[in-house]
Amino acid sequence: MAEAELASAAPANRDRTARYVAALARRSRGVLVLSALLGVLSALSLLRLRLDVDLLSMLPEGRQRFADYQRYVSRFGAADVAVAVVRAPGSASAIRFAAALEDELAHAPEVRGVRSRVDLDAFNAALRAGALARLLPVEAHRDVAARLEPGALDAAVKSLKRVLATPGSVGTSAYLAGDPLGLGALLGERLARARPDRALSPGSEYVLSRDGRRLLLLIRPAEPAYDVEAAERLAGALRRAEQRARERSGTGDDVTVVYTGAFAFALEDSSLLRSDMTLYSALALLGVLAVFYAGYRSLAFLPLIAWQIVLGTLVTFAIGLLVEGKLNAVSLAFAVIFYGLGVDAAIHFYTRFLEEWGGTGPVEEPLARTISGLLAATTVAAGTSAAAFAVIGLSSFSGIAQLGFLTALGMLLNIPATFVLLPAQIVQAHRRGWLGGVVRAPAPTVRLAATAAFVARHRLACGAVASALLLLALAPARAAQLDTNLFHLRPGESRAAAVQREIEREFGLVDPDGVVVIESPAANDPALDEAVLRANERATEVLEGYRREGLVETVLSAASLLPSRATQEERLQSWAALPRERAADELAARLAAAGFDVAKFADALRALREVPAPLDSTTAPLPGLELLFERHVRRDAAGLAVLLPFRPRDDDALEAVAERLPRDVGVEDATVTVTGRPLMERELHVTMREEIVWFVLTVAVGGAVLIWLRFRTLGVTLALLAVPAAVVLLLLALLGVTGATIDAVNLIVFPLTVGLGVDNCVYLAERCRETGSLRDAVASTGRPFGITTATTAVGFGVLALSRYPALANLGWVAAVSMVTCFAATMLLLPIVLPLRALGALPRETAAVQEGT
């Protein structure tokens, strides 16, 4: 009954298609003019193209660990700091040049601030102004009391006299006058012990390498560093400041400056991506057209097909920019990919049209028969591909979602491009005589057809071989690994990365794997600020306890420089109980008796006599220690936040700290969050596994629905899905054997394998039902199958040449997948496809049919 209904519906469909083609032929010139106008407008939209090269912006939303890590990076990460390394023949020239560069950058509107040194004079002045009493721990007051004893005062005065009598001691006199009892040294020792990175160790004011030939500067841009346009403006300001600093310092070309940080990575990634995508988009288009020409040996249709896929790419890009505003490193690869995918429908259309037309006579009727025969299959194939990309468009990774959205849109737009624009171009080309005498129907792929028919006739034996192969693939498939390191997605040999490694090697500055972020739940509330500082002190104590347990190796706390008001009051109360005034009077008398000018010691004596008031230690950096303050403290619209870095024993220890520390700190008025790259990457591992499974299952279910709606047979539906499912298994086995990994970008290959792998299966099944013979179906579709496989592999494969690892890995894995899908369609589909359900058989002669 169903076959009779289909037979009666066919003439009606052909009549409607004929009327459509006739109307399209009358308006073909207008269609081409409209397409040209649309292409120009879409191309102009590319002038608004902006790149997002921030890898962390790709992290999924809605998961706490990702949100914690992104919040930490946004408030304390390197996104708002440009790090400069000054290379010079010696420390003197490095310091001289750095001072001039800092002064030049202070006047640049692109720069918010520059830090190049610790101002020891300012720090010592702050100690005399009361900071010493607020910062010195209570347990150190026993040592202070010992230095206030009469005998210790006598010894101190004698030591001063001896030191100042030494030749060359003139430069130290001001320092000794400011701290004759060496109380600042007591504080310095405790501060240094609190920072195992030796950031508070006595020594040079500048951050110099061990050999003194490199110097660090921290530059804060006025605009976000991952904004490419802002990064370019900052780079220009740095070049101009460097040139003027060389002139002022007289260092010339002996001094060089190299940069790292977010702005440097943004510039490198943007430049690399733009050049790569421009080159590889052109290579992909040329490669696709070259494959088409090699398959058909005809130049007549090349301009028609080229314009169809170029227009589709431009329009899709324009819509994407209108919706998204800017594209990222992954979605920028859309053009390269779409050239290979978008041409598939045109190849099938062209092949069928040549069969119907034969190269002579009017084209309207052959076009109608072509559209009638291909519209359903093309719509289903494009729908399954678009569904695959649409599912990817729902990814929680923003870069992948953009690529999925763009490609799904492109695949859907390709349907009207194939059945409206391409027929209109063919009509106009025929009217101008561009097609006459140069086109001939392609020869059938006889050997491929015979191979498929052989497999179908011996399906039991071939099925056993295929099953054994798939079973053998299970073990290596299980060995395939996920790579959750987002920084592996960008070039590892970039200049900015090399500078980072230089900083780690020469200065020993390495980002810790764990951080505690302590935040107030609201802004401008002194009580909440105090809660944050007390939580910071408590968290430092807890981490020190973990260090004794072996969970934590180092703690880099700023609690010693950020005492809470309660801690300051305790210290000042203990300070007030010391015999300070008596000691100050006795010290003044002994200094006068020893012949010193007591007036020069006035600041030190006053600091000894006074008991300062507690201060809010977060309102301003301690003078001279701005570098450390800005690393550990942020005050913005969200409130106060304090950073407490630490290095855990391993990733499992970090997990334990993340679980225990907020509970052990036990504060209610401050938020205590433990985060770090290892925690983020563990969550990323879970998310990637979930997305791969979810993507593949969703695409498979969506494809099954579309296939069933077309064929209405469960056996055919399962058979068409079995082919890409087998390819997914083989692809995993290949990754397991080679040691290649699945990253956050190339994971989309697996749902794409299901979505795109179904395409050829649908075309072949449709052709089997139309011809009644598997051999005839493969003979007529084998060439377009091979050519579409080659064009798709070229589209993806060109990405394998990219210098951007994320795109290169996506390119080669997808290209291998597409080639494997073609082989599986020819060799596996004849085994599983229920030919009788399609009214087809492996061999087509009546005698064989009857015998079968």
Side-chain angles (χ1 to χ4, degrees):
M1 181 65 181
E3 294 180 1
E5 291 176 355
L6 288 173
S8 62
N13 290 336
R14 285 195 292 270
D15 289 341
R16 285 195 297 270
T17 306
R19 291 195 297 272
Y20 164 74
V21 171
L24 182 63
R26 292 193 298 271
R27 298 171 176 82
S28 58
R29 185 173 181 181
V31 170
L32 298 188
V33 172
L34 180 61
S35 72
L37 179 62
L38 189 60
V40 171
L41 293 176
S42 299
L44 291 175
S45 72
L46 295 180
L47 298 176
R48 297 180 60 251
L49 176 61
R50 297 178 60 211
L51 290 180
D52 179 5
V53 293
D54 182 5
L55 287 178
L56 293 181
S57 69
M58 289 179 57
L59 285 177
E61 298 180 357
R63 297 200 177 221
Q64 191 60 47
R65 283 192 169 177
F66 293 143
D68 290 343
Y69 189 71
Q70 286 177 315
R71 190 168 69 254
Y72 150 64
V73 172
S74 66
R75 297 191 81 170
F76 291 99
D80 61 346
V81 177
V83 183
V85 178
V86 177
R87 299 169 178 164
S91 59
S93 55
I95 291 173
R96 188 167 66 253
F97 176 84
L101 180 60
E102 181 176 2
D103 185 59
E104 290 292 337
L105 290 175
H107 301 91
E110 297 85 0
V111 174
R112 184 157 50 94
V114 183
R115 300 293 184 195
S116 64
R117 66 193 183 101
V118 173
D119 190 338
L120 295 179
D121 290 337
F123 177 65
N124 289 324
L127 294 183
R128 294 191 296 271
L132 175 67
R134 288 189 289 267
L135 296 179
L136 194 64
V138 172
E139 57 267 23
H141 288 179
R142 179 180 301 177
D143 292 334
V144 175
R147 298 193 183 199
L148 299 182
E149 292 298 322
L153 295 176
D154 283 337
V157 172
K158 292 177 181 178
S159 177
L160 283 173
K161 195 159 187 156
R162 185 172 59 254
V163 171
L164 294 177
T166 303
S169 63
V170 176
T172 62
S173 59
Y175 172 76
L176 294 175
D179 187 16
L181 300 181
L183 300 182
L186 293 176
L187 176 63
E189 292 171 3
R190 282 161 174 79
L191 293 180
R193 286 201 298 267
R195 296 287 304 206
D197 60 350
R198 301 186 60 79
L200 292 176
S201 296
S204 172
E205 296 184 46
Y206 289 87
V207 184
L208 290 163
S209 60
R210 287 182 292 272
D211 61 6
R213 300 175 62 183
R214 290 173 177 81
L215 183 150
L216 277 186
L217 292 92
L218 303 182
I219 303 164
R220 294 195 178 277
E223 300 177 87
Y226 273 119
D227 184 291
V228 176
E229 290 77 10
E232 291 173 347
R233 288 191 290 271
L234 175 62
L238 294 175
R239 286 193 298 270
R240 293 189 295 271
E242 280 182 43
Q243 182 59 37
R244 290 193 292 266
R246 283 192 176 86
E247 296 171 357
R248 288 180 52 181
S249 63
T251 53
D253 295 334
D254 291 339
V255 174
T256 59
V257 187
V258 289
Y259 299 93
T260 188
F263 101 99
F265 281 110
L267 287 179
E268 287 189 7
D269 289 357
S270 172
S271 174
L272 184 148
L273 284 170
R274 288 180 186 274
S275 61
D276 272 15
M277 288 305 99
T278 300
L279 173 62
Y280 299 138
S281 294
L283 286 178
L285 180 60
L286 293 175
V288 164
L289 296 179
V291 169
F292 181 89
Y293 177 76
Y296 292 101
R297 300 293 180 180
S298 172
L299 293 173
F301 273 77
L302 280 183
L304 312 186
I305 291 177
W307 176 237
Q308 176 194 344
I309 57 177
V310 168
L311 179 63
T313 303
L314 290 174
V315 173
T316 305
F317 257 136
I319 296 175
L321 288 173
L322 184 65
V323 174
E324 299 286 346
K326 58 184 178 180
L327 302 179
N328 55 48
V330 179
S331 57
L332 197 62
F334 158 75
V336 178
I337 295 172
F338 185 71
Y339 286 152
L341 295 175
V343 77
D344 290 0
I347 289 172
H348 285 288
F349 190 99
Y350 173 70
T351 304
R352 183 64 175 269
F353 170 70
L354 292 186
E355 293 176 1
E356 299 290 349
W357 182 38
T360 59
V363 297
E364 286 78 5
E365 182 61 27
L367 281 174
R369 292 195 297 270
T370 300
I371 293 173
S372 179
L374 285 181
L375 181 59
T378 301
T379 302
V380 171
T384 56
S385 299
F389 281 105
V391 169
I392 293 170
L394 300 177
S395 171
S396 51
F397 295 91
S398 62
I400 296 173
Q402 273 192 2
L403 177 63
F405 162 72
L406 286 174
T407 313
L409 178 63
M411 295 304 295
L412 293 177
L413 292 176
N414 201 43
I415 298 174
T418 302
F419 294 102
V420 178
L421 178 59
L422 189 55
Q425 290 187 98
I426 291 174
V427 169
Q428 284 295 313
H430 183 259
R431 289 176 181 175
R432 286 165 173 73
W434 295 346
L435 304 182
V438 296
V439 202
R440 61 181 182 275
T445 50
V446 178
R447 293 182 180 177
L448 192 60
T451 301
F454 174 85
V455 171
R457 289 198 305 274
H458 301 86
R459 65 173 59 197
L460 290 179
C462 294
V465 173
S467 299
L469 177 62
L470 294 176
L471 286 174
L472 289 174
L474 285 175
R478 293 170 62 88
Q481 298 292 318
L482 296 178
D483 182 0
T484 58
N485 190 332
L486 289 180
F487 296 95
H488 289 170
L489 301 179
R490 65 155 44 110
E493 298 304 318
S494 69
R495 292 188 300 275
V499 175
Q500 275 192 337
R501 291 192 293 272
E502 180 180 351
I503 292 173
E504 293 175 3
R505 182 180 66 252
E506 298 294 336
F507 298 91
L509 301 178
V510 181
D511 285 339
D513 290 330
V515 293
V516 182
V517 180
I518 305 168
E519 301 167 287
S520 64
N524 301 320
D525 189 334
L528 294 179
D529 291 351
E530 173 70 4
V532 168
L533 294 179
R534 299 194 69 172
N536 184 43
E537 293 170 339
R538 175 59 183 155
T540 301
E541 294 175 4
V542 172
L543 285 174
E544 288 294 341
Y546 294 164
R547 186 175 61 81
R548 290 189 290 273
E549 289 181 32
L551 284 176
V552 171
E553 293 180 354
T554 58
V555 181
L556 303 179
S557 174
S560 55
L561 298 176
L562 298 171
S564 64
R565 183 174 289 272
T567 297
Q568 291 180 57
E569 289 173 350
E570 179 187 7
R571 291 172 177 175
L572 294 174
Q573 184 178 0
S574 176
W575 175 265
L578 294 171
R580 299 165 294 98
E581 294 185 10
R582 187 259 310 158
D585 293 340
E586 292 182 3
L587 177 60
R590 284 169 171 75
L591 288 172
F596 287 102
D597 183 359
V598 178
K600 293 183 178 180
F601 295 84
D603 289 342
L605 295 171
R606 183 174 60 254
L608 192 58
R609 290 189 175 97
E610 293 180 350
V611 178
L615 297 176
D616 183 352
S617 56
T618 68
T619 55
L622 190 67
L625 296 182
E626 292 87 354
L627 278 170
L628 285 174
F629 182 89
E630 291 170 357
R631 170 60 178 153
H632 288 272
V633 179
R634 289 291 185 276
R635 185 184 291 278
D636 50 32
L640 176 67
V642 175
L643 182 69
L644 174 51
F646 66 95
R647 182 172 295 282
R649 181 192 63 216
D650 51 33
D651 292 353
D652 290 335
L654 179 57
E655 286 277 6
V657 171
E659 180 181 353
R660 290 174 52 184
L661 186 132
R663 182 177 64 250
D664 292 347
V665 170
V667 296
E668 296 181 355
D669 295 332
T671 302
V672 178
T673 303
V674 179
T675 185
R677 271 186 60 185
L679 291 179
M680 179 271 289
E681 289 174 353
R682 284 195 170 191
E683 187 71 13
L684 190 61
H685 188 278
V686 174
T687 305
M688 289 170 61
R689 288 179 66 91
E690 291 177 352
E691 292 220 335
I692 290 175
V693 174
W694 181 77
F695 283 170
V696 171
L697 290 180
T698 304
V699 172
V701 170
V705 171
L706 291 174
I707 294 168
W708 187 85
L709 289 174
R710 177 57 185 165
F711 294 99
R712 303 285 179 160
T713 305
L714 181 60
V716 172
T717 302
L718 295 177
L720 298 188
L721 288 173
V723 173
V727 174
V728 168
L729 176 60
L730 293 174
L731 193 59
L732 286 171
L734 175 64
L735 294 175
V737 169
T738 61
T741 56
I742 304 169
D743 58 43
V745 175
N746 67 18
L747 66 83
I748 68 173
V749 171
F750 299 98
L752 291 185
T753 298
V754 177
L756 299 178
V758 165
D759 287 3
N760 283 349
C761 298
V762 169
Y763 279 116
L764 184 57
E766 188 74 31
R767 195 64 165 159
C768 283
R769 184 163 68 173
E770 185 177 342
T771 63
S773 165
L774 176 65
R775 182 190 293 269
D776 286 348
V778 175
S780 60
T781 58
R783 184 177 296 274
F785 283 173
I787 294 173
T788 55
T789 298
T791 55
T792 304
V794 166
F796 279 108
V798 163
L799 289 177
L801 304 175
S802 175
R803 293 166 292 175
Y804 212 79
L807 301 181
N809 293 336
L810 171 63
W812 79 260
V813 175
V816 170
S817 172
M818 295 302 103
V819 173
T820 308
C821 281
F822 171 74
T825 302
M826 295 297 106
L827 300 176
L828 182 59
L829 187 60
I831 298 174
V832 298
L833 186 64
L835 296 172
R836 288 186 182 278
L838 297 171
L841 293 173
R843 301 178 68 177
E844 65 277 8
T845 63
V848 173
Q849 290 180 21
E850 291 172 1
T852 305

